[in-house]
Amino acid sequence: MMKTPPIVTSQEWEAARRQLLVKEKEMTRARDALAAQRRRMPWLAVEKEYAFDGPGGRASLLDLFEGRRQLIVYRAFFEPGVFGWPDHACRGCSLVADQVAHVAHLNARDTTLVFVSRAPQPDIERVKARMGWTMPWYTMTDEFDADFGVDEWHGTNAFIRDGDSVYRTYFINSRGDEAMGSTWSYLDMTALGRQEEWEDSPEGYPQTPPYEWWNWHDEYGDAEPAQEWLAKVAEAADAGDRGTDDPDPRPRPAASAGDDTTGSPGSAGCRCPE
């Protein structure tokens, strides 16, 4: 029989939650600080040429950026010899794929996400259709997986380009991949981060006001930011101090200074205006 925690009053439950909230805020700050350190990681030049097969034919690593400045590559195991072949990719990699948010939000931050596997393109397209996955998915044709630590285990690599020069900026694997999938977790592993003004980033990094770039995933480039939302953000910023205990350094629209939300700066305290 399972031993359950004590059953308490609503006041006792709230007191216990607030006690735990202190540690959750510490974790939020630590996560922000870790992302800031990633943005200061040295870059590793990628000097070798790599080739992939994609829906449009042969592609280089530079092509995978699709013209954007940053690239995130997840190595998924879908190939002969992997359990599930040819009907499924690896169960774990499939679970990761199911978590991926709409890539339009990453694209809006000049970032491209792709998956890569050893399977031929017809098999990839078939499984994507079956599972409802829409992210770009390429076929590796050379030593890319061995060179970037994903030949025997899954992993997520981040790259940045300066013109035609490509650099590796970060790598996450093992249990670190459990947190991947959201727009925020992907951006937090990149060299440029979320590119919002509240972030601790090196001088000269691209940054815009928070909220301003957020949009419906099917209307990026078309719809203007909600002016009434931005007006409320400005009002909150003008109001001044939000308290030293608040883990979210951004002004929140229509939020009180005492709001104790524990979410990350990308998700906390959103109260959309009517």
Side-chain angles (χ1 to χ4, degrees):
M1 182 177 180
M2 185 176 76
K3 184 178 180 180
T4 64
I7 309 302
V8 297
T9 65
S10 60
Q11 292 82 5
E12 291 171 323
W13 185 91
E14 183 62 25
R17 188 189 74 88
R18 288 186 173 274
Q19 186 176 22
L20 190 57
L21 182 64
V22 173
K23 293 184 178 180
E24 291 185 341
K25 288 183 176 182
E26 291 174 355
M27 186 177 70
T28 298
R29 296 189 187 100
R31 187 171 59 241
D32 290 342
L34 178 60
Q37 285 186 280
R38 291 191 188 114
R39 292 191 288 277
R40 290 165 172 82
M41 272 280 295
W43 296 358
L44 177 65
V46 180
E47 298 175 342
K48 190 173 178 179
E49 297 289 333
Y50 295 97
F52 304 84
D53 286 332
R58 206 70 155 176
S60 66
L61 181 60
L62 189 62
D63 292 330
L64 268 56
F65 281 79
E66 296 180 352
R68 301 183 182 94
R69 190 169 185 184
Q70 297 192 124
L71 172 68
I72 300 170
V73 181
Y74 176 74
R75 198 285 201 230
F77 279 84
F78 177 46
E79 59 200 60
V82 172
F83 182 81
W85 175 265
D87 298 320
H88 281 292
C90 149
R91 284 172 171 159
C93 293
S94 298
L95 181 59
V96 171
D98 282 338
Q99 313 306 310
V100 175
H102 202 290
V103 297
H105 303 296
L106 287 173
N107 297 165
R109 294 279 87 180
D110 210 10
T111 302
T112 299
L113 170 71
V114 304
F115 276 40
V116 297
S117 296
R118 288 276 172 195
Q121 278 297 297
D123 294 295
I124 289 175
E125 292 302 318
R126 173 176 46 79
V127 168
K128 283 179 63 178
R130 171 177 181 169
M131 302 300 288
W133 298 328
T134 59
M135 73 287 286
W137 199 316
Y138 292 84
T139 302
M140 293 179 291
T141 66
D142 48 32
E143 300 81 24
F144 176 87
D145 50 357
D147 290 349
F148 291 99
V150 289
D151 53 329
E152 296 181 357
W153 194 244
H154 60 84
T156 307
N157 277 280
F159 301 90
I160 196 168
R161 70 180 183 92
D162 182 9
D164 290 342
S165 298
V166 176
Y167 303 90
R168 188 189 195 194
T169 60
Y170 206 67
F171 175 58
I172 289 176
N173 67 352
S174 195
R175 286 198 64 190
D177 270 334
E178 291 179 1
M180 308 311 293
S182 77
T183 300
W184 310 117
S185 61
Y186 281 128
L187 290 176
D188 281 348
M189 76 167 291
T190 65
L192 301 181
R194 306 183 187 192
Q195 303 164 54
E196 293 186 341
E197 290 175 342
W198 63 269
E199 285 183 302
D200 174 13
S201 293
E203 184 177 353
Y205 273 43
Q207 291 187 321
T208 61
Y211 303 103
E212 184 177 85
W213 65 275
W214 298 11
N215 210 340
W216 298 291
H217 73 248
D218 63 345
E219 291 197 17
Y220 276 109
D222 297 325
E224 291 293 325
Q227 297 304 312
E228 64 273 22
W229 191 2
L230 296 181
K232 289 182 179 295
V233 172
E235 290 174 9
D238 291 341
D241 184 20
R242 301 187 53 213
T244 58
D245 289 335
D246 200 318
D248 184 348
R250 308 169 317 161
R252 283 199 296 264
S256 67
D259 195 330
D260 61 2
T261 181
T262 62
S264 69
S267 60
C270 173
R271 293 195 180 99
C272 297
E274 294 294 335

